[in-house]
PDB file of all heavy atoms in Angstrom:
ATOM      1  N   GLY B  16     -23.729   2.625 -10.136  1.00 95.00           N
ATOM      2  CA  GLY B  16     -22.826   3.653 -10.655  1.00 95.00           C
ATOM      3  C   GLY B  16     -23.122   3.963 -12.112  1.00 95.00           C
ATOM      4  O   GLY B  16     -23.139   5.123 -12.532  1.00 95.00           O
ATOM      5  N   GLU B  17     -23.381   2.906 -12.868  1.00 94.00           N
ATOM      6  CA  GLU B  17     -23.661   3.065 -14.290  1.00 94.00           C
ATOM      7  C   GLU B  17     -24.901   3.939 -14.501  1.00 94.00           C
ATOM      8  O   GLU B  17     -24.927   4.797 -15.379  1.00 94.00           O
ATOM      9  CB  GLU B  17     -23.863   1.679 -14.900  1.00 94.00           C
ATOM     10  CG  GLU B  17     -23.593   1.630 -16.371  1.00 94.00           C
ATOM     11  CD  GLU B  17     -23.605   0.199 -16.899  1.00 94.00           C
ATOM     12  OE1 GLU B  17     -23.539  -0.768 -16.101  1.00 94.00           O
ATOM     13  OE2 GLU B  17     -23.691   0.055 -18.130  1.00 94.00           O
ATOM     14  N   SER B  18     -25.914   3.736 -13.634  1.00 94.00           N
ATOM     15  CA  SER B  18     -27.150   4.505 -13.799  1.00 94.00           C
ATOM     16  C   SER B  18     -26.923   5.975 -13.445  1.00 94.00           C
ATOM     17  O   SER B  18     -27.553   6.862 -14.018  1.00 94.00           O
ATOM     18  CB  SER B  18     -28.261   3.900 -12.940  1.00 94.00           C
ATOM     19  OG  SER B  18     -28.008   4.170 -11.578  1.00 94.00           O
ATOM     20  N   TRP B  19     -26.021   6.248 -12.511  1.00 94.00           N
ATOM     21  CA  TRP B  19     -25.733   7.638 -12.144  1.00 94.00           C
ATOM     22  C   TRP B  19     -25.116   8.399 -13.305  1.00 94.00           C
ATOM     23  O   TRP B  19     -25.316   9.601 -13.454  1.00 94.00           O
ATOM     24  CB  TRP B  19     -24.782   7.691 -10.930  1.00 94.00           C
ATOM     25  CG  TRP B  19     -25.442   7.310  -9.647  1.00 94.00           C
ATOM     26  CD1 TRP B  19     -26.754   6.939  -9.471  1.00 94.00           C
ATOM     27  CD2 TRP B  19     -24.835   7.249  -8.363  1.00 94.00           C
ATOM     28  NE1 TRP B  19     -26.998   6.648  -8.156  1.00 94.00           N
ATOM     29  CE2 TRP B  19     -25.837   6.832  -7.452  1.00 94.00           C
ATOM     30  CE3 TRP B  19     -23.548   7.507  -7.882  1.00 94.00           C
ATOM     31  CZ2 TRP B  19     -25.578   6.667  -6.082  1.00 94.00           C
ATOM     32  CZ3 TRP B  19     -23.286   7.347  -6.525  1.00 94.00           C
ATOM     33  CH2 TRP B  19     -24.309   6.925  -5.634  1.00 94.00           C
ATOM     34  N   ALA B  20     -24.333   7.699 -14.100  1.00 92.00           N
ATOM     35  CA  ALA B  20     -23.640   8.370 -15.211  1.00 92.00           C
ATOM     36  C   ALA B  20     -24.635   9.024 -16.164  1.00 92.00           C
ATOM     37  O   ALA B  20     -24.332  10.023 -16.808  1.00 92.00           O
ATOM     38  CB  ALA B  20     -22.758   7.374 -15.949  1.00 92.00           C
ATOM     39  N   GLU B  21     -25.851   8.443 -16.228  1.00 89.00           N
ATOM     40  CA  GLU B  21     -26.838   8.982 -17.163  1.00 89.00           C
ATOM     41  C   GLU B  21     -27.264  10.406 -16.801  1.00 89.00           C
ATOM     42  O   GLU B  21     -27.629  11.187 -17.662  1.00 89.00           O
ATOM     43  CB  GLU B  21     -28.079   8.080 -17.200  1.00 89.00           C
ATOM     44  CG  GLU B  21     -27.822   6.815 -17.992  1.00 89.00           C
ATOM     45  CD  GLU B  21     -28.893   5.767 -17.753  1.00 89.00           C
ATOM     46  OE1 GLU B  21     -30.030   6.135 -17.395  1.00 89.00           O
ATOM     47  OE2 GLU B  21     -28.573   4.574 -17.919  1.00 89.00           O
ATOM     48  N   GLU B  22     -27.254  10.730 -15.498  1.00 87.00           N
ATOM     49  CA  GLU B  22     -27.681  12.072 -15.087  1.00 87.00           C
ATOM     50  C   GLU B  22     -26.491  13.025 -14.916  1.00 87.00           C
ATOM     51  O   GLU B  22     -26.652  14.147 -14.455  1.00 87.00           O
ATOM     52  CB  GLU B  22     -28.487  11.984 -13.779  1.00 87.00           C
ATOM     53  CG  GLU B  22     -27.796  11.148 -12.739  1.00 87.00           C
ATOM     54  CD  GLU B  22     -28.549  11.059 -11.412  1.00 87.00           C
ATOM     55  OE1 GLU B  22     -28.846  12.129 -10.857  1.00 87.00           O
ATOM     56  OE2 GLU B  22     -28.806   9.937 -10.948  1.00 87.00           O
ATOM     57  N   ALA B  23     -25.295  12.552 -15.278  1.00 91.00           N
ATOM     58  CA  ALA B  23     -24.090  13.346 -15.026  1.00 91.00           C
ATOM     59  C   ALA B  23     -24.037  14.593 -15.901  1.00 91.00           C
ATOM     60  O   ALA B  23     -24.344  14.553 -17.072  1.00 91.00           O
ATOM     61  CB  ALA B  23     -22.854  12.484 -15.285  1.00 91.00           C
ATOM     62  N   GLN B  24     -23.648  15.694 -15.268  1.00 91.00           N
ATOM     63  CA  GLN B  24     -23.443  16.964 -15.969  1.00 91.00           C
ATOM     64  C   GLN B  24     -22.033  17.452 -15.649  1.00 91.00           C
ATOM     65  O   GLN B  24     -21.487  17.102 -14.615  1.00 91.00           O
ATOM     66  CB  GLN B  24     -24.446  18.013 -15.465  1.00 91.00           C
ATOM     67  CG  GLN B  24     -25.911  17.682 -15.712  1.00 91.00           C
ATOM     68  CD  GLN B  24     -26.287  17.804 -17.186  1.00 91.00           C
ATOM     69  OE1 GLN B  24     -25.763  18.655 -17.893  1.00 91.00           O
ATOM     70  NE2 GLN B  24     -27.186  16.932 -17.638  1.00 91.00           N
ATOM     71  N   PRO B  25     -21.462  18.281 -16.531  1.00 93.00           N
ATOM     72  CA  PRO B  25     -20.120  18.804 -16.251  1.00 93.00           C
ATOM     73  C   PRO B  25     -20.072  19.496 -14.888  1.00 93.00           C
ATOM     74  O   PRO B  25     -21.011  20.216 -14.538  1.00 93.00           O
ATOM     75  CB  PRO B  25     -19.873  19.821 -17.373  1.00 93.00           C
ATOM     76  CG  PRO B  25     -20.833  19.472 -18.453  1.00 93.00           C
ATOM     77  CD  PRO B  25     -22.002  18.781 -17.806  1.00 93.00           C
ATOM     78  N   GLY B  26     -19.010  19.268 -14.137  1.00 94.00           N
ATOM     79  CA  GLY B  26     -18.834  19.928 -12.852  1.00 94.00           C
ATOM     80  C   GLY B  26     -19.340  19.129 -11.672  1.00 94.00           C
ATOM     81  O   GLY B  26     -19.233  19.562 -10.525  1.00 94.00           O
ATOM     82  N   TRP B  27     -19.873  17.941 -11.924  1.00 95.00           N
ATOM     83  CA  TRP B  27     -20.420  17.130 -10.835  1.00 95.00           C
ATOM     84  C   TRP B  27     -19.297  16.502 -10.014  1.00 95.00           C
ATOM     85  O   TRP B  27     -18.356  15.938 -10.564  1.00 95.00           O
ATOM     86  CB  TRP B  27     -21.303  16.024 -11.422  1.00 95.00           C
ATOM     87  CG  TRP B  27     -22.250  15.414 -10.441  1.00 95.00           C
ATOM     88  CD1 TRP B  27     -22.671  15.943  -9.265  1.00 95.00           C
ATOM     89  CD2 TRP B  27     -22.895  14.136 -10.551  1.00 95.00           C
ATOM     90  NE1 TRP B  27     -23.555  15.104  -8.642  1.00 95.00           N
ATOM     91  CE2 TRP B  27     -23.712  13.979  -9.408  1.00 95.00           C
ATOM     92  CE3 TRP B  27     -22.876  13.120 -11.514  1.00 95.00           C
ATOM     93  CZ2 TRP B  27     -24.490  12.838  -9.199  1.00 95.00           C
ATOM     94  CZ3 TRP B  27     -23.654  11.989 -11.297  1.00 95.00           C
ATOM     95  CH2 TRP B  27     -24.457  11.848 -10.151  1.00 95.00           C
TER      96      TRP B  27
END
Side-chain angles (χ1 to χ4, degrees):
Chain B
E17 204 172 345
S18 72
W19 287 0
E21 284 166 25
E22 48 179 305
Q24 297 288 326
W27 199 20

